[in-house]
């Protein structure tokens, strides 16, 4: 079944180096100012992109001076790391961990896909920003890759376990299947939530439900887990 948040957090690497989060406040007032700067930075980054964002705009959004910014952060990289540190748990999704004999594997996969889609949808603009930063920052790109690999490894273990129990196609390479299926889910979420639609309108709840159902059908069909109520009429 999907792991709880404690297990997920312990197995998945952080998106950022904890040593590069700026200065930590010692007073309530300092914490309020630093929190305001982090919230402002996320707004500016998501609006202007990482490359084009300016520290003066972050300070203005936070309604403080540029001097106050430098009290807590040395650079744009540091405040960006702080934004990700604050957001990464909300972006965390459980993946598919060990499925017990009493569990319905299709229901578990559906729940995992729903969790991923919901987390991506809540943080769509930030996910788009991550793609931009990964393209220009090799260190961040490597950390993001390690985080993604942790979810692929977890999914591969779940697939291998199903194969050993005769519930999934044993002719499929578990590691490659996990990488392909995880990539499919990630790319479809990117296209559905991060990219601007021609209509300019976000997906409706019904469309999101269809997205999750389709992803689940593709997962289960690929693994030979199709059950009668998921088959097309």
């Amino acid at each position: 079944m999907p792991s709880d948040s404690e297990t997920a957090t312990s197995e998945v690497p952080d998106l950022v180096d904890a040593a590069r989060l700026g200065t930590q406040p010692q007073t309530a007032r300092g914490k309020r100012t630093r929190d305001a700067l982090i919230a402002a930075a996320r707004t500016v980054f998501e609006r202007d992109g990482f490359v084009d964002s300016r520290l003066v705009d972050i300070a203005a959004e936070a309604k403080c001076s540029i001097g106050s910014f430098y009290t807590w952060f040395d650079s744009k990289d540091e405040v960006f790391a702080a934004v990700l540190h604050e957001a990464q748990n909300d972006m965390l999704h459980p993946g598919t961990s060990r499925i017990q004999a009493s569990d319905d594997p299709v229901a578990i996969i559906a729940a995992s896909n729903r969790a991923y889609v919901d987390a991506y949808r809540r943080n769509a603009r930030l996910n788009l920003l991550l793609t931009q930063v990964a393209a220009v920052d090799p260190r961040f790109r490597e950390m993001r890759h390690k985080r993604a690999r942790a979810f692929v490894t977890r999914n591969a273990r779940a697939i291998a376990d199903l194969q050993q129990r005769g519930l999934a196609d044993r002719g499929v390479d578990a590691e490659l299947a996990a990488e392909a299926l995880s990539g499919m889910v990630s790319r479809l979420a990117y296209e559905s939530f991060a990219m601007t639609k021609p209509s300019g309108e976000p997906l409706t709840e019904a469309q999101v439900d269809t997205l999750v159902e389709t992803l689940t059908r593709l997962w289960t069909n690929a693994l030979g887990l199709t059950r009668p109520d998921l088959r097309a009429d």
Side-chain angles (χ1 to χ4, degrees):
M1 65 183 65
S3 57
D4 58 27
S5 59
E6 180 179 356
T7 302
T9 302
S10 65
E11 291 183 359
V12 179
D14 285 344
L15 269 171
V16 294
D17 183 348
R20 302 181 64 194
L21 298 177
T23 302
Q24 298 300 317
Q26 302 300 315
T27 66
R29 180 180 180 183
K31 185 178 186 306
R32 287 194 298 271
T33 301
R34 187 176 183 276
D35 287 349
L37 283 164
I38 293 171
R42 177 166 180 170
T43 296
V44 173
F45 286 142
E46 291 181 349
R47 183 189 70 208
D48 300 339
F50 180 78
V51 173
D52 293 330
S53 61
R54 303 185 305 166
L55 298 186
V56 291
D57 293 330
I58 293 173
E61 181 72 24
K63 296 181 173 56
C64 67
S65 67
I66 192 66
S68 293
F69 176 91
Y70 282 114
T71 297
W72 306 109
F73 304 103
D74 289 338
S75 65
K76 185 163 65 171
D77 287 345
E78 277 196 354
V79 73
F80 178 69
V83 168
L84 293 185
H85 184 73
E86 292 288 324
Q88 67 180 358
N89 285 338
D90 186 49
M91 298 170 71
L92 195 65
H93 56 92
T96 304
S97 60
R98 182 175 175 81
I99 299 174
Q100 303 298 330
S102 60
D103 293 332
D104 178 349
V106 176
I108 297 301
I109 292 169
S112 297
N113 285 334
R114 168 61 70 175
Y116 181 88
V117 165
D118 286 346
Y120 199 106
R121 187 185 187 188
R122 288 193 303 271
N123 297 281
R125 289 182 177 275
L126 189 56
N127 275 299
L128 185 61
L129 183 64
L130 298 187
T131 302
Q132 181 189 59
V133 176
V136 298
D137 186 337
R139 182 175 179 177
F140 176 72
R141 182 164 61 247
E142 178 62 21
M143 295 180 75
R144 192 183 185 206
H145 175 71
K146 288 180 179 179
R147 186 174 168 95
R149 288 301 309 172
F151 288 110
V152 170
T153 298
R154 181 180 299 167
N155 289 343
R157 287 199 303 263
I159 292 170
D161 183 61
L162 290 170
Q163 290 172 322
Q164 290 170 5
R165 290 158 53 196
L167 299 177
D169 183 356
R170 293 179 179 177
V172 174
D173 183 283
E175 186 76 18
L176 287 176
E179 187 163 3
L181 292 168
S182 297
M184 173 193 70
V185 174
S186 175
R187 182 66 189 185
L188 193 52
Y190 172 82
E191 293 291 340
S192 298
F193 303 114
M195 300 299 289
T196 302
K197 299 300 177 188
S199 66
E201 296 294 329
L203 295 187
T204 65
E205 292 300 324
Q207 288 173 322
V208 174
D209 290 342
T210 298
L211 173 63
V212 173
E213 181 183 355
T214 300
L215 289 171
T216 301
R217 283 178 181 269
L218 293 173
W219 255 85
T220 55
N221 287 350
L223 298 178
L225 280 169
T226 304
R227 69 186 192 196
D229 59 327
L230 280 182
R231 293 182 186 141
D233 294 333

